[in-house]
Amino acid sequence: MARSPGTKATTEKVSEGRALALDSFMRLLARKPFERISLGEVADEAKMPLADLRAAFGSTFDMLSGFLREVDSKVLAAPTDDMADEPARDRLVDVLMRRLDVLAPHKAALRSLMDSARRNPFFALALNKLSVRSQQWMLAAARIDTAGLKGAVRAQGLALVFGRVLQTFLSDDDPALARTMAALDRELARGERALGLIEGAVCLATGGRRRRRDTDTPTEPETPVPPDAPVMA
């Protein structure tokens, strides 16, 4: 059944409100720590009533989650047919570099988030959960399997890899991103060397069932992460 004009107008208003609120939230985040941003400040920055803000988001953390969903969508919207015949690692590098391109205008806000994560381990864990969800979509964009426990381990590993690369990216002012590219290549290589350990852990957790290794699939990165390397975006 077709939606009524009133329903369509309401949906469009909420969508516009979400975009406005997200832009305002990210501007605030670039200027101050996440934990000091209030709902009222976002509404004031966006010049919108609190009722409209509530219709769009449930909390400031919900706004952060919404921002990452927007980043995911922009990366996923880019065509990938030209990479279809490339090795899986090359496809993944292409996807992650596109993600960095989308994140580039928000470097100040990302630095702020990382600082907050270093101060608050619980916040870092919450950010990690968002990052793992995003990296599942990045793996899917690179046509890499995300199913089951192995897919979950792979997404967590990639979140850790991307978190380390992001730290280099935030201090890389070279338009060609040479340092960032080198860091991405290095971290993916480290992940590949850890494949035997991760594969064994997955087999053990699934009752010892053997899985055939796909030589065209990037291997899972190391899972340990130091406390001073929060995962984000």
Side-chain angles (χ1 to χ4, degrees), residues 25 28-29 32-38 59-64 112-113 116 119 123:
F25 170 72
L28 285 169
L29 187 57
K32 62 192 304 185
F34 172 84
E35 60 271 20
R36 289 175 53 195
I37 299 174
S38 70
S59 65
T60 52
F61 193 81
D62 191 20
M63 294 173 203
L64 179 55
S112 176
L113 279 176
S116 293
R119 290 190 296 269
F123 184 56

Side-chain angles (χ1 to χ4, degrees), residues 9 12 16 32 34 37 49 55 108 117 134 145 150 189 210 227 230:
E12 290 176 350
E16 292 173 1
K32 62 192 304 185
F34 172 84
I37 299 174
S134 288
D145 185 25
K150 186 173 181 178
R210 297 180 62 85

Side-chain angles (χ1 to χ4, degrees), residues 8-41:
K8 182 178 180 180
T10 300
T11 301
E12 290 176 350
K13 182 179 179 181
V14 171
S15 179
E16 292 173 1
R18 285 181 62 86
L20 182 60
L22 278 181
D23 287 344
S24 300
F25 170 72
M26 294 305 291
R27 287 197 300 270
L28 285 169
L29 187 57
R31 303 198 300 262
K32 62 192 304 185
F34 172 84
E35 60 271 20
R36 289 175 53 195
I37 299 174
S38 70
L39 293 169
E41 284 179 298

Side-chain angles (χ1 to χ4, degrees), residues 79-149:
T80 58
D81 293 344
D82 58 332
M83 296 293 294
D85 296 328
E86 298 297 326
R89 178 170 169 176
D90 291 348
R91 297 197 303 269
L92 187 57
V93 167
D94 180 68
V95 168
L96 294 181
M97 290 305 297
R98 280 193 275 119
R99 187 173 187 84
L100 290 173
D101 287 342
V102 174
L103 290 171
H106 305 287
K107 281 188 173 183
L110 295 176
R111 291 190 192 98
S112 176
L113 279 176
M114 283 194 163
D115 288 343
S116 293
R118 290 187 181 97
R119 290 190 296 269
N120 186 338
F122 295 104
F123 184 56
L125 288 173
L127 289 182
N128 176 70
K129 185 175 181 179
L130 294 181
S131 184
V132 169
R133 182 176 65 188
S134 288
Q135 295 307 329
Q136 287 177 321
W137 287 103
M138 299 303 98
L139 287 166
R143 303 186 182 185
I144 296 170
D145 185 25
T146 61
L149 180 57

